[in-house]
Every structure is written in structure tokens, then in C-alpha cells.
Amino acid sequence: SQKIEQNSEALNIQEGKTATLTCNYTNYSPAYLQWYRQDPGRGPVFLLLIRENEKEKRKERLKVTFDTTLKQSLFHITASQPADSATYLCALPTGGTDKLIFGTGTRLQVFP
Amino acid sequence: DAGVIQSPRHEVTEMGQEVTLRCKPISGHDYLFWYRQTMMRGLELLIYFNNNVPIDDSGMPEDRFSAKMPNASFSTLKIQPSEPRDSAVYFCASSTPREYEQYFGPGTRLTVT
């Protein structure tokens, strides 16, 4: 079955730097992959979706890449700000269904 | 739109009691998902509905859990009887078939003592 691996250790970076988070999956390449942001005490919020035929996607300071050969997606936040501090989850569909499986998330802490 | 609405936001109950969690999806969304989130296991899908019909309940941990969607604007997740290991945050999410992103509610934090 499909499994997702995200770095469980928190990522601490200085304001203004670029944060890079990794999402690896173990089985077949999905048709798309999503990234969500989750703040403490709140539900996940959708950020970006990238399809298997797209290598890169951008939205403001966010950039996502998708490498089906490496079975990996990278999530970048450029010019990071303390307000970017949150847990970031990647998610992908399973077996051609409408179900998503989520990674356990990586906590990002941006300090001034 | 108010977004996905869940109630209650917090529930504390004793082992053996029945617990009912409620969800109102975003109007016009055909899909409704129930998730459970714990530190140990992360975010797990319990069950999802399409047009009020349960499609996949393979994530429901055991017969103590049941979910219904009597109409397009309301769903319940019931645990009977509850156990301490059911303590978690339960999220409801909805989506449309034209978009893949899911919209999550604020969650219900359940504590079973």
C-alpha cells in the first residue's frame, strides 16, 4: 500500500531564508499530490496541488516540485516569515479513488 | 460561505458513553470525509460519502464507530461505547468532484476518560 514519509523533525529556519520540506512516497506515482498547512487547534488548509505531468508549480512565495522518478515532492517557502510557522502536510490519492492519504507532517518554525 | 461546520468543538466523556459528532459540509460539495488525528498515527481517513452514500468505510476502526449522512447538509459520526483510546481530534472535510482539494472543519477534540 502507498506510504508517505515526511521528516518528523521540526525545521527551524531564520526569517528571510527559504524553507524546503520533503515528501517521499513509496509505491506508485499518484496522478497528483497536494500540500496543506495546519496551525495548532485548526483543521488543515489546502495550499497547492501539482499533477504528475507538472514538474513545478508556484503560488506567491510557495513553490512545489514533483519528481516521479525519485518519488518525491519538495515544498519551498521563499523569504520565509514567522507567520509561516505551522505544520505542513502532503497528501496524495490512493488507488485511483477519491481518498487521500496524508503524511504525518513537518513542523516549520521561522524565527526572527 | 461559512465553511465546514463541526460541533461540538470539545467533548469530554466517560468510557462507555455514547458520543455523537456533527458536521455540516460546504453547500454544493458532493463529498464528505471523516478523519481522526492523533500524534501517533497522524491524520487517518475513517469514512467518506459521495452524494450522501457511504463509499468507503474501511478506515472505521471497529463496529463501535458508525457514520450517517441523512441529507446533503448534515452528517454524524457516532461512537458507542466510547473508550479512552478513541481520544483524538476528529475532522470533517468536504470537496467537489471538480476540485481535488478538501476543505476541513475546525475539528472536534474528543477526550474519553
Side-chain angles (χ1 to χ4, degrees), chain A residues 43-60:
Chain A
V45 175
F46 171 80
L47 295 175
L48 279 169
L49 179 151
I50 185 165
R51 300 179 189 277
E52 61 179 339
N53 60 349
E54 299 175 315
K55 291 195 173 178
E56 181 180 298
K57 200 155 191 180
R58 293 174 184 261
K59 178 182 176 183
E60 298 173 352

Side-chain angles (χ1 to χ4, degrees), chain A residues 13 15-19 37 48 57-64 75-85 88 108 110:
Chain A
I13 66 166
E15 183 176 9
K17 302 292 186 183
T18 296
R37 168 183 172 143
L48 279 169
K57 200 155 191 180
R58 293 174 184 261
K59 178 182 176 183
E60 298 173 352
R61 294 183 296 110
L62 309 181
K63 184 179 85 170
V64 172
F75 177 82
H76 306 272
I77 305 176
T78 59
S80 59
Q81 305 166 0
D84 296 325
S85 299
Y88 292 86
L108 172 67
V110 182

